[in-house]
Structures are given as structure tokens and as C-alpha cells.
Amino acid sequence: MPTSRHARRPLEPVVQESTARMIADQVREAIARGDLPPGAQLGEAELSHQLGVSRGPLREGLQRLAQEGLLLSIRNRGLFVMEMTPERVDDMYLARQAVERAAAEQIHRKAPVDAGEHLLTVTDTMATTSRAADAAGVGEADIAFHELLVQLAGSPRLSRMHRTLMTETRMCINALESTYDDFECRVQEHRDIAQSFIDGEPGRTDELLRLHMKDAIDRLTAIRPA
């Protein structure tokens, strides 16, 4: 019988999710929500008490977030939540454009009308929260719209790439709330993108997504600390 040139390695036993990973997930979510705002210093003693964990797994969990670029370690000062500098905003939206425009292209090849109708449903939710002046609700609908857009492409790789950008995206969306006098223009941007799928206009979808991202970059980079 033929034999492999390389001996097969046995699979490792399945283990439960580590405490460090669960800590990283909770702190990552707090950063995304804005509960730990950009520039905030993280105190080990306080976090250890809040999470009910010892310092060892806490440090391991925070180190994971530092490796992801969400936390910044400053010698002799500690860990801080990273700030969305203009350069970082540009880079993050560059990556989002690549993923979402590729997803849109794929949707137009498959079932653009169904996708557009699903996206319009999310836009309706955004409009409802906009009329109620619910900034947090508008932000949640904004995130849901873009997550659904990538999901509808049916590409696991694009979805994985998009998920890695979501924490920074949510940080940006929290910051964007202060740049709108009226949320209706934000709603209309998303409605136009959804409608372009229904109308079967891939070129228009691509241009709308590009302009949508550019508008977000322009608004975010115009924000100056008080």
C-alpha cells in the first residue's frame, strides 16, 4: 500500500473556550460599544474585579487585544484603548471598501433583487429609529445593514475578513453620531444602496458604496478633540 512521506499528526483534543478568550471577547465588545472609549486607560485591578477573574488570564486576554491592535501598550504607563487616528480610519475604510464592494459584485451575479429587498428591510428599521431620534438604534441598524450585505454574498472568506473589521467599524459609527444634524441623509444613503440592487445596477452600487465610505471618512477625520 502507498504510504505518505510525512507521518500524520494526531488531532488535538477539543478543549473548552479559554478564560482568556472570553475576557478578550468581553473587553472587545465593551470597546465596540464605546463603554471603553478611545484613549481610555485600562486598570488591571478594576477589570479583574469587574470580570471576576485573576490577573493571569486577564493579562493574557488583554494581550490578545493588543495583538489585534485594539489596545496600545505604553511603557511604564500601561494599556490604553487605541484611538482612531485619521490614518487608521483611512486604512480601515480601505479594507472595508475592498470587502463590501467585492460582496456587492458577487450579489449582483446571484440574486440582487432578493438581496436588495432584505437590505431595504434593515433600512426601514433605520428610518424608524431615525424618526425617534434614537442615535444608538440608527447605529445598530447601520452595522446590521453592512453585515447583511457581506453575508448575502455567500462568501465565508469575505465574511471572516469583514468580522475582523467590525470592532473598529463600530467605534467609528459611535463617533459618527455627533456628525449628523439629521439622520435622514444617513438613512437615504443606505436606501439608495439597497435600491441599486433591486434595479440591477452594479456600477451604481459600487459608486454608492465608494461615496458612502468616503463620506464617513470625511466626517470622522473632520472631528477634532474639544
Side-chain angles (χ1 to χ4, degrees):
M1 295 178 62
T3 58
S4 171
R5 290 182 300 168
H6 303 287
R8 292 185 178 179
R9 296 181 181 179
L11 297 176
E12 296 292 332
V14 175
V15 296
Q16 292 183 336
E17 187 173 29
S18 70
T19 301
R21 180 171 178 176
M22 290 189 286
I23 290 168
D25 288 344
Q26 286 205 50
V27 176
R28 187 188 297 107
E29 178 63 20
I31 292 171
R33 289 195 308 264
D35 294 338
L36 293 172
Q41 183 172 12
L42 303 188
E44 281 191 8
E46 182 181 359
L47 280 177
S48 178
H49 176 72
Q50 288 181 357
L51 296 169
V53 296
S54 62
R55 297 286 185 94
L58 175 66
R59 287 170 181 162
E60 184 181 344
L62 296 180
Q63 181 60 34
R64 292 184 181 211
L65 299 182
Q67 291 171 349
E68 292 176 18
L70 294 177
L71 297 180
L72 174 66
S73 178
I74 300 179
R75 187 182 178 89
N76 298 325
R77 291 188 60 196
L79 281 172
F80 296 80
V81 178
M82 66 90 178
E83 299 189 62
M84 294 302 291
T85 63
E87 294 77 18
R88 188 165 188 130
V89 168
D90 277 339
D91 193 48
M92 190 274 287
Y93 274 96
L94 176 66
R96 272 192 64 193
Q97 278 196 60
V99 172
E100 295 190 26
R101 291 168 74 181
E105 181 180 359
Q106 184 66 10
I107 289 170
H108 273 290
R109 292 174 180 169
K110 296 170 63 178
V113 175
D114 287 347
E117 289 174 349
H118 285 303
L119 291 168
L120 278 179
T121 299
V122 180
T123 306
D124 289 342
T125 300
M126 187 184 293
T128 299
T129 55
S130 172
R131 288 192 293 271
D134 177 3
V138 173
E140 289 171 9
D142 192 329
I143 286 289
F145 182 97
H146 292 279
E147 287 181 331
L148 179 59
L149 188 154
V150 176
Q151 178 187 330
L152 289 168
S155 168
R157 285 180 175 80
L158 284 179
S159 292
R160 284 197 298 270
M161 292 165 67
H162 201 244
R163 276 195 297 271
T164 66
L165 300 167
M166 280 298 96
T167 300
E168 291 169 277
T169 296
R170 290 171 68 186
M171 292 173 72
C172 287
I173 283 178
N174 290 337
L176 277 171
E177 290 175 5
S178 64
T179 70
Y180 287 93
D181 296 325
D182 182 352
F183 290 125
E184 184 51 40
C185 63
R186 189 170 172 185
V187 174
Q188 191 61 49
E189 285 183 13
H190 290 82
R191 185 178 288 121
D192 289 344
I193 293 168
Q195 188 62 46
S196 70
F197 285 110
I198 295 173
D199 295 340
E201 298 180 327
R204 177 165 169 74
T205 305
D206 188 70
E207 181 66 3
L208 288 171
L209 282 171
R210 187 187 67 78
L211 291 174
H212 179 60
M213 302 286 183
K214 182 180 183 301
D215 178 68
I217 292 170
D218 290 345
R219 289 174 181 274
L220 286 165
T221 54
I223 296 173
R224 294 288 182 269

